[in-house]
Amino acid sequence: MNAKYKYKTLFTTLFKWIFWGGVVGVVIGTTTALLLTTNEFLGNTRKDNAWLIYFLPIGGLVIGYMYMHFGKESGNDAAKGNNLVIEGVHGIARVLRRMGPIVYLGTFITVIFGGSTGREGAAIQMGGSVAEAVNQFFKVNLLDTKIILMSGISAGFGAAFGTPITGAVFGMEMVALGKMKYEAFVPCLTASFVGHYITEFAWDVKHELFVVQNIPELSLMTFGKVIFLAVLFSLLSVLYCQLRHGLQRISENFFNKNHMKRAFVGGIIIVILTLILGTQEYNGRSLDMLEQSFTEEVPPYAFIAKLVFTAVTMGMGFVGGEAIPLFFMGATLGNALYPFMDLPLSFLAALGMISTFCAGANVPIAAFLLSLEMFGDKGVEYFFVACLTSYIVSGHHGLWPSQSIHEPKSRLFTIPDGETIESVEKRGKGSS
């Protein structure tokens, strides 16, 4: 009788999580399809109308106004973006249902006027927003609330990049270093796959393709080069994170946390930088040059230009995502190193793309799975080593300061369980 009750409870729980994961996946898949389609249209519109860049400061004012007047409730601030979603999973904050619509509008404004941004941030925050709406409507308990939020993250990432396996793990791995909540696996997997198939097949939204044409033969020499390159890519990610968060802290203090003033000045800086370079290649998503970096040489300074443009955009109050900019930085740095490394160009670009993202997001397992879903199963040994290396070398830094640390990356430091990246950085223990 006891065993029968246990099996009944198991199947009931399994059905519950598949159901909730499916609900979240359907909604997030649909909203992500809207995000991707609209971003594509707005990005093309900006490229055809270069004068739109001059309205970026005005767009910053609008974004700042939205967050200052509609993005705050009961001490929770939607301007925290992905950090608020992470804090929601940890149970120390509440994700706002209105955060999804606000970040979507903010992302559209950022893209059409030429801010340097991506898309996964908007998809993840919409995922958190939808998950929170489900939580509140059905009044689920605290533990279930956390798991549904994680499934929202998975659905958003899987649908945004067309990588459902990666999305499933990303939702569990993103919130903390050194710990994954495997109880969330079924709803995260369900939400990610449903979100992906709804986006790609129900709404016929296609994702970018990156082809690695040549993979070097396995050898100790090549492994040595891969490890060396992974160190460089991880340091690039740390440089971006430090500059981006540094600009945010400085601008918040200087403008007394006035989001409108911060974003307005940030827009002016982006316009000036664009005029100095004489090109808009580094505005918006920069997908054309990202794809080009896999097939032909691009300007050797492209990675640092994108780093500065994105750090200013995101650090000064615009919104969107940072995965695609990190993809760009890593791929173009790999491209710039092509004359010196005696490795295939597309392989270098792919290695940089995955390693830089891994170091910034602190998700080695998800990053490795991302390489499999994007590039196939060739060279998996190299990508696996690169992900582990970049994760460790990046230390306790990252895109999202709210990530908690359950296991430090190095035994050189003693870090209390559950401490965040932000608190560790403030004590000067970020580097391992």
Side-chain angles (χ1 to χ4, degrees), residues 21 32-33 36 64 79 103 237 277 308 353 370 376 387 397:
T32 302
L36 299 180
V103 74
S237 180
L277 288 182
V308 173
M353 179 174 162
L370 185 66
C387 287
H397 301 282

Side-chain angles (χ1 to χ4, degrees), residues 324-335:
I324 285 184
L326 281 177
F327 289 171
F328 182 101
M329 295 173 213
T332 52
L333 175 57
N335 187 287

Side-chain angles (χ1 to χ4, degrees), residues 330-394:
T332 52
L333 175 57
N335 187 287
L337 294 171
Y338 173 63
F340 311 103
M341 297 307 299
D342 190 29
L343 291 171
L345 178 62
S346 59
F347 175 71
L348 283 169
L351 200 68
M353 179 174 162
I354 295 298
S355 299
T356 308
F357 168 72
C358 177
N362 287 310
V363 288
I365 300 175
F368 174 64
L369 293 173
L370 185 66
S371 71
L372 291 177
E373 291 193 283
M374 282 192 164
F375 310 131
D377 59 354
K378 294 182 179 179
V380 293
E381 300 89 349
Y382 293 134
F383 286 107
F384 183 73
V385 169
C387 287
L388 292 181
T389 303
S390 61
Y391 172 73
I392 294 171
V393 173
S394 65

Side-chain angles (χ1 to χ4, degrees), residues 155-191:
F157 193 92
F161 293 106
T163 53
I165 299 176
T166 303
V169 175
F170 183 84
M172 298 186 292
E173 193 177 20
M174 170 193 177
V175 297
L177 278 66
K179 182 179 181 179
M180 285 204 299
K181 192 175 184 66
Y182 290 101
E183 186 179 3
F185 179 72
V186 171
C188 285
L189 183 70
T190 303

Side-chain angles (χ1 to χ4, degrees), residues 1-18:
M1 186 67 178
N2 188 38
K4 183 178 179 181
Y5 174 77
K6 287 183 178 180
Y7 279 115
K8 182 178 179 181
T9 303
L10 175 63
F11 284 117
T12 301
T13 302
L14 186 64
F15 174 79
K16 176 184 71 173
W17 286 131
I18 292 174

Side-chain angles (χ1 to χ4, degrees), residues 149-319:
L149 279 173
M150 294 166 74
S151 70
I153 295 172
S154 291
F157 193 92
F161 293 106
T163 53
I165 299 176
T166 303
V169 175
F170 183 84
M172 298 186 292
E173 193 177 20
M174 170 193 177
V175 297
L177 278 66
K179 182 179 181 179
M180 285 204 299
K181 192 175 184 66
Y182 290 101
E183 186 179 3
F185 179 72
V186 171
C188 285
L189 183 70
T190 303
S192 184
F193 269 87
V194 172
H196 164 63
Y197 285 117
I198 289 292
T199 300
E200 188 159 302
F201 296 102
W203 295 105
D204 196 30
V205 175
K206 303 303 179 185
H207 298 85
E208 297 81 20
L209 294 176
F210 302 98
V211 179
V212 181
Q213 297 175 339
N214 298 297
I215 299 291
E217 295 291 332
L218 291 179
S219 69
L220 289 178
M221 176 65 72
T222 304
F223 270 113
K225 291 180 180 180
V226 167
I227 292 172
F228 172 74
L229 288 167
V231 171
L232 294 183
F233 296 135
S234 67
L235 294 178
L236 173 67
S237 180
V238 170
L239 176 61
Y240 167 73
C241 292
Q242 292 299 92
L243 179 58
R244 180 250 191 273
H245 295 310
L247 285 173
Q248 180 173 339
R249 288 192 296 268
I250 292 171
S251 63
E252 285 181 342
N253 291 333
F254 188 81
F255 293 111
N256 196 27
K257 294 191 175 181
N258 187 307
H259 202 144
M260 293 176 66
K261 292 180 179 179
R262 289 174 56 223
F264 179 77
V265 172
I268 292 175
I269 295 173
I270 292 295
V271 171
I272 293 172
L273 290 173
T274 302
L275 293 175
I276 290 174
L277 288 182
T279 178
Q280 292 194 19
E281 290 281 3
Y282 308 105
N283 301 93
R285 300 163 301 161
S286 303
L287 290 175
D288 290 342
M289 188 179 291
L290 173 57
E291 294 175 352
Q292 182 184 351
S293 67
F294 279 73
T295 58
E296 57 186 280
E297 293 186 46
V298 300
Y301 57 83
F303 70 95
I304 198 67
K306 190 64 175 178
L307 185 152
V308 173
F309 271 70
T310 309
V312 172
T313 298
M314 303 300 291
M316 296 296 286
F318 289 88
V319 293

